[in-house]
Amino acid sequence: MEHLKQSHAQAITCGLGDDSFALSRLLAFCSDPRHGSPSYGWKVFQRIQHPTICICNTMIKAFLLNGEPIKIIHMYTRLLRDGMVPDNYTLPYVLKACANMGSGLLGELIHGHCLKLGFMADTFVGNCLIAMYSAVGDMNAARVVFDGGAPWRGVVSWTVLISGYAKVGDVESARLMFDEAPVKDRGVWGSMISGYVQNSCFKEGLHMFRLMQLAGVEPDEAVFASVLCACANLGALETGIWVHGYLDRVEFPRSVKLGTALIDMYAKCGRLDLAEKVFGEMPERDTVCWNAMISGWAMHGNGDRALQMFSEMEKAGIRPDDITFIAVFTACGYSGMAYEGLRVFSSMCNVYNIEPKTEHYGCMIDFLGRTGLIEEAKEIIGKMPNRSCPSEAAVVWRALMSASCSHGDIRLAEVAAEKLLELECHSGAYVLLSNLYSTSGQHDNARKIRKMMKTRGIDKTPGCSSIEINGNGKEFIAGEKTHPQMGDVHGALESMNKHLDGSGCHLNLVST
């Protein structure tokens, strides 16, 4: 910016102080989120007596890049009031502002301007309209624009529409659109794969990735990140290792995003040694990358290593965010490190000035409860700001109930269950309370809870586990009787039981 100001001064002394092109270049630099200064750009803009539409577009773009959509709307209103005519650059910027604000009403008004000004045949405007309606969840309007855009409709249009069905959870419609697409480039394939992964359809995402390979389409970074996310959630270690090997073979650029995806995949698949190896080889690490590594140690119960990583993160000058502290608190909970958790909580509030969220309080209640400090955990709820929505409040009461059940505190578990059932309709509270009654010998109360579940039509979500064998995922659901190899599974369990009988142990898994 210092050099920019010197250049600005020189432009003025050379008689270019009112030159439209020179001013537009000054504003373009000011719009850069990393090196520029929107406030300085705005001062420059205000001194321009008769700004052109190009200069106005540059200022609008500056606001867009710096996340200030309200200022874009004000700017757009101003140029209309001054009698200026928007062009095919102005309108897409304003539509993106509407999308960022989540305002379908404003978007419809701008859509009207697009029609009135004759820009509906413009590819860029049409695709931005589809993206805007998709962002606000109005897929019917997005489809109307798409269907009316036959002259300009291309792979970008298909990609935007497929992504918009996926973002609202309608993966079936997204897949139908994908199948209809006349040309499937990397973007179209990527939008479908990421759509599946975003909606927890991980097996379908991996299957789509294999189809993409068979079609001979080269994946990009976004596709690999989605595939690694699917591997992480399925425990598909072999596929994840194959992707890692492929990236190395083709010398694919190892960005922070891709490295973080590899770390997360290895950690969730239980290979923390490989996760740390990738972490150690990364030339650059951001907060998200450190969070992935700390979370990896946390989920595997190694609180000491997670805290050590947190300390190394601070020494490296990387500022932790609220997600970092959730990972650290989780590690403290799994490792029974209540004192360390309280110390880190104090650091979060007093050193980093991060205001605790409901998730942080829930983690605190969890690590206090796991170490037997039930009353202290209950006090935390009383100190929480009363601003949580029902779903957020349920997080802390669920944590308290779980702790109460773990330590056999029926009285507190009943209080927590009552609060929890007021906030959400979920089987977890019923099952926890029923199990607590059963283990404490109160079988009548346990039966009452089960009967209450049945009367209220609340079903317990069955447990599910998966394993990868020779690159193929195998899934098992509790109580399932339709698995094609269930006979073999039962036979293997019976064989294990016979071997264990001699040692006085027995597996009671076949009947369950």
Side-chain angles (χ1 to χ4, degrees):
M1 278 304 299
E2 288 304 312
H3 293 155
L4 184 280
K5 290 175 183 177
Q6 292 171 15
S7 300
H8 188 192
Q10 191 171 9
I12 293 172
T13 58
C14 291
L16 296 173
D18 295 321
D19 183 81
S20 296
F21 182 74
L23 291 171
S24 70
R25 294 304 85 207
L26 285 167
L27 290 175
F29 184 89
C30 291
S31 68
D32 189 294
R34 297 169 298 171
H35 309 299
S37 172
S39 59
Y40 186 83
W42 179 241
K43 288 177 182 177
V44 172
F45 179 82
Q46 287 180 307
R47 292 180 179 273
I48 304 174
Q49 292 184 353
H50 302 290
T52 63
I53 191 64
C54 178
I55 289 176
C56 290
N57 288 345
T58 304
M59 196 66 241
I60 289 174
K61 182 182 179 183
F63 290 141
L64 182 67
L65 292 175
N66 287 276
E68 298 179 292
I70 296 293
K71 290 184 178 179
I72 294 175
I73 302 302
H74 289 162
M75 184 78 184
Y76 182 68
T77 305
R78 174 178 170 171
L79 70 85
L80 290 176
R81 188 177 61 241
D82 292 344
M84 300 181 72
V85 180
D87 62 13
N88 60 338
Y89 288 96
T90 318
L91 293 166
Y93 290 149
V94 179
L95 286 169
K96 288 178 182 178
C98 296
N100 293 342
M101 294 166 63
S103 177
L105 181 59
L106 273 175
E108 288 176 1
L109 290 172
I110 307 304
H111 187 176
H113 289 189
C114 297
L115 286 165
K116 183 179 179 180
L117 296 169
F119 285 112
M120 290 306 295
D122 185 272
T123 303
F124 195 28
V125 172
N127 287 333
C128 284
L129 274 168
I130 296 172
M132 182 276 296
Y133 280 122
S134 299
V136 299
D138 191 347
M139 294 311 303
N140 289 329
R143 185 64 196 254
V144 168
V145 175
F146 177 85
D147 289 341
W152 50 260
R153 196 169 67 194
V155 288
V156 175
S157 310
W158 288 92
T159 301
V160 172
L161 194 64
I162 291 167
S163 297
Y165 274 127
K167 285 177 182 176
V168 297
D170 190 359
V171 288
E172 290 83 6
S173 295
R175 181 57 191 268
L176 288 173
M177 290 296 300
F178 174 85
D179 291 338
E180 290 176 17
V183 179
K184 298 179 178 67
D185 69 349
R186 183 187 301 171
V188 174
W189 280 98
S191 64
M192 194 64 247
I193 292 170
S194 65
Y196 274 135
V197 173
Q198 288 166 9
N199 288 279
S200 301
C201 301
F202 304 115
K203 289 188 294 184
E204 292 83 352
L206 286 185
H207 177 67
M208 184 62 64
F209 174 63
R210 294 186 180 104
L211 293 178
M212 180 182 184
Q213 289 177 292
L214 291 172
V217 179
E218 196 70 23
D220 59 8
E221 182 185 273
V223 170
F224 283 124
S226 294
V227 169
L228 288 169
C229 179
C231 293
N233 284 277
L234 290 173
L237 178 61
E238 292 180 31
T239 304
I241 290 174
W242 181 90
V243 171
H244 189 181
Y246 176 84
L247 293 171
D248 287 342
R249 283 195 303 275
V250 300
E251 298 182 349
F252 199 90
R254 185 70 58 81
S255 65
V256 176
K257 180 180 178 180
L258 210 50
T260 302
L262 282 167
I263 291 168
D264 184 61
M265 182 275 295
Y266 279 130
K268 287 179 177 174
C269 290
R271 291 300 304 271
L272 283 167
D273 56 330
L274 295 178
E276 276 221 302
K277 186 174 184 295
V278 173
F279 182 82
E281 292 172 350
M282 291 180 66
E284 183 184 351
R285 307 180 189 113
D286 62 5
T287 302
V288 180
C289 181
W290 282 92
N291 289 352
M293 198 65 248
I294 294 171
S295 297
W297 287 112
M299 74 176 71
H300 288 281
N302 195 329
D304 289 327
R305 185 69 180 112
L307 284 172
Q308 183 184 346
M309 290 289 299
F310 176 65
S311 178
E312 291 174 11
M313 179 182 183
E314 291 181 304
K315 291 176 183 176
I318 304 297
R319 180 179 173 83
D321 59 12
D322 56 334
I323 305 297
T324 312
F325 288 102
I326 289 174
V328 174
F329 295 151
T330 302
C332 292
Y334 287 159
S335 304
M337 304 166 74
Y339 171 77
E340 291 83 353
L342 291 171
R343 177 179 59 79
V344 173
F345 182 80
S346 175
S347 172
M348 179 184 83
C349 299
N350 301 321
V351 176
Y352 294 103
N353 297 317
I354 295 176
E355 187 176 357
K357 295 182 179 178
T358 307
E359 292 88 342
H360 298 112
Y361 287 113
C363 289
M364 284 184 69
I365 291 167
D366 181 63
F367 68 64
L368 288 170
R370 284 174 184 265
T371 51
L373 302 172
I374 304 296
E375 289 302 321
E376 288 81 352
K378 186 181 178 183
E379 288 176 10
I380 294 292
I381 296 180
K383 295 177 181 177
M384 283 178 57
N386 188 23
R387 63 174 185 275
S388 300
C389 67
S391 61
E392 290 180 342
V395 171
V396 295
W397 285 107
R398 197 181 303 119
L400 182 63
M401 185 178 180
S402 179
S404 305
C405 291
S406 297
H407 292 276
D409 191 330
I410 295 177
R411 179 188 61 80
L412 191 54
E414 289 174 334
V415 172
E418 184 179 352
K419 291 286 187 182
L420 196 53
L421 295 177
E422 290 174 3
L423 295 166
E424 66 176 9
C425 184
H426 190 272
S427 63
Y430 293 94
V431 173
L432 278 173
L433 195 57
S434 174
N435 291 344
L436 179 59
Y437 282 141
S438 295
T439 55
S440 60
Q442 299 184 28
H443 299 293
D444 288 340
N445 285 335
R447 280 192 289 271
K448 286 180 183 177
I449 295 295
R450 294 286 182 178
K451 186 177 180 181
M452 191 185 299
M453 284 182 68
K454 189 174 182 180
T455 303
R456 296 179 179 179
I458 297 171
D459 296 320
K460 179 182 179 296
T461 303
C464 176
S465 61
S466 61
I467 188 172
E468 186 186 41
I469 302 172
N470 297 326
N472 295 315
K474 306 290 183 182
E475 190 173 68
F476 300 91
I477 300 172
E480 181 183 37
K481 297 181 180 179
T482 59
H483 194 284
Q485 293 177 285
M486 191 54 69
D488 296 334
V489 172
H490 282 211
L493 290 172
E494 286 291 358
S495 176
M496 291 168 68
N497 271 330
K498 290 177 182 178
H499 286 290
L500 289 168
D501 277 343
S503 59
C505 299
H506 188 76
L507 286 173
N508 186 28
L509 296 176
V510 176
S511 61
T512 58

